[in-house]
Amino acid sequence: MRPATNGNESETRRQLRRIYTTLLAAFGPQGWWPARIRLEVILGAILTQNTAWKNAALAVRRLRQAGMLNHEKLSSASLSKLESLIRPAGFFRQKARTIRNFLRYLETSHGGSLRAMFSTPGEKVRRELLALKGLGPETADAILLYAGGKTFFVADAYSRRVLARHDLWKPTATYSEAQQVLHEHLPGSHALFNEFHALLVEAGKRYCKREVPRCEACPLEPFLNHRHVARPDHKGFAFAKPPAVSGVSGRVGPTLKRMELSHHLG
Ligand code: SF4
C-alpha cells in the first residue's frame, strides 16, 4: 500500500528530524519502557490496552507482589486468580485471556523462551503475535520494540495525530500507512524508534489533544504549515492563513548538542 505522505523523501526526513530533536530538547529522554524485565514489558503492553498507563502499572505491581512475573507461575495460575490480580487495568477478563494466549504461544512456538522468541526474525514473530486473539498491531509492535529491541515503530493514536497535524500523512492514514512512512524515512534504529514514540506520546498528552490542541504552548508550533484553530464546536480543526515556518534555533539552542540520539537522523 502506498504511504499517505504529502512530501518528498528528503523533506519528510527533515521534518521528522526537526520534530524529534525539538521534542527531545523540550521533554528530555523519556526512559521508556518503565519495566525491569522483558516479561513485564509484554504484560504492560497488554494491560495498557484501552486504559491509562497508571492502571496498567498498578496491575503489573500486583503481579510482581504476588510473585507472578514469571512465565511458569503465570501459566500455572488459575484464570480467576489472574483476573483478580490484573483487575485495576480494566477489561480484566479479556486481558487475562490475552495473557494466557500469549503464554501458550510462547510455550508452543518458542519453548517458553523469550530469548528464542526474540531471536526469531521480527516479521515472523509479528505475524505470529497478530494471529493471537487480543493482540493488535499496536500491542504487537510495543512488544517487539520495547521488549525485543526490534525496529517496529508503534504508530499509535498519539503518533498518528501529532504527525498528521504536521502533514506527515493524511488525518485518515491507517496504522500501517503511518508506520510505513516512518519505516521508510527513519533510520532503522530501535533506540530511535523507542525514544521518538515516547516523545510523540508525551506531546499528544500535554498539547496535541484530540479535540482542541494547545498549539500556542507546544514546542512544535513553529513547524506547523498551517495554524490550527479549534472550532467552537470542538469537532475538529479549521485552518487559518498559513504563517511562515520558523526555525528551531531560538527554542532549543545548545541543548541539541546533548541529544543522545539526534545523530540517528543526521
Ligand atoms: S499541539 Fe499543535 S503544534 Fe503541538 S503537535 Fe499538536 S498540532 Fe502540532
Side-chain angles (χ1 to χ4, degrees):
M1 186 180 297
R2 214 178 138 69
T5 180
N6 294 332
N8 61 42
E9 181 169 349
S10 58
E11 180 48 34
T12 300
R13 186 185 173 95
R14 270 197 296 275
Q15 178 80 330
L16 287 168
R17 178 168 54 81
R18 286 191 292 255
I19 290 171
Y20 173 75
T21 53
T22 302
L23 290 179
L24 192 57
F27 302 153
Q30 298 298 294
W32 279 24
W33 188 286
R36 299 174 194 179
I37 57 171
R38 293 201 283 195
L39 182 60
E40 192 176 332
V41 177
I42 293 166
L43 294 171
I46 293 170
L47 292 169
T48 199
Q49 292 172 338
N50 302 309
T51 194
W53 171 249
K54 66 176 174 21
N55 300 327
L58 178 55
V60 171
R61 190 155 68 241
R62 284 160 62 97
L63 288 169
R64 187 187 305 117
Q65 286 165 350
M68 301 285 279
L69 291 183
N70 170 294
H71 164 233
E72 287 79 18
K73 287 196 175 153
L74 263 183
S75 298
S76 59
S78 69
L79 201 55
S80 60
K81 180 169 185 188
L82 186 53
E83 287 174 354
S84 160
L85 286 168
I86 68 169
R87 199 179 183 99
F91 303 99
F92 58 91
R93 292 204 172 85
Q94 185 185 318
K95 290 177 183 178
R97 279 160 184 75
T98 303
I99 291 170
R100 273 287 179 83
N101 291 341
F102 172 78
L103 293 170
R104 204 168 295 133
Y105 152 74
L106 184 65
E107 191 61 48
T108 54
S109 299
H110 301 287
S113 165
L114 287 175
R115 185 190 296 266
M117 174 180 152
F118 290 125
S119 299
T120 307
E123 289 289 354
K124 182 173 187 301
V125 177
R126 190 175 194 265
R127 279 195 301 277
E128 292 170 351
L129 291 176
L130 290 177
L132 300 178
K133 195 159 187 278
L135 284 189
E138 186 176 324
T139 309
D141 290 335
I143 290 171
L144 288 162
L145 178 66
Y146 288 106
K150 305 281 188 185
T151 49
F152 291 90
F153 204 103
V154 183
D156 62 4
Y158 290 116
S159 306
R160 295 206 302 281
R161 185 164 71 232
V162 170
L163 295 179
R165 287 172 176 173
H166 287 265
D167 302 318
L168 268 296
W169 44 68
K170 295 173 184 167
T172 52
T174 63
Y175 184 99
S176 63
E177 287 172 334
Q179 188 185 56
Q180 191 179 342
V181 173
L182 292 163
H183 284 188
E184 283 181 6
H185 295 282
L186 290 174
S189 156
H190 84 269
L192 173 67
F193 283 20
N194 178 328
E195 193 62 60
F196 203 174
H197 170 241
L199 289 165
L200 289 168
V201 170
E202 193 61 21
K205 284 183 177 168
R206 287 199 206 184
Y207 305 109
C208 206
K209 310 285 186 185
R210 191 163 61 88
E211 299 289 346
V212 185
R214 297 175 50 226
C215 300
E216 72 288 352
C218 178
L220 296 184
E221 192 275 342
F223 309 126
L224 280 175
N225 285 327
H226 311 280
R227 189 170 297 279
H228 295 261
V229 179
R231 289 181 177 136
D233 62 6
H234 292 184
K235 283 188 178 157
F237 280 151
F239 295 103
K241 188 170 172 236
V245 177
S246 56
V248 301
S249 55
R251 284 178 176 258
V252 291
T255 314
L256 286 179
K257 295 192 178 80
R258 298 199 299 271
M259 297 298 102
E260 284 178 29
L261 295 165
S262 300
H263 66 278
H264 286 293
L265 284 159

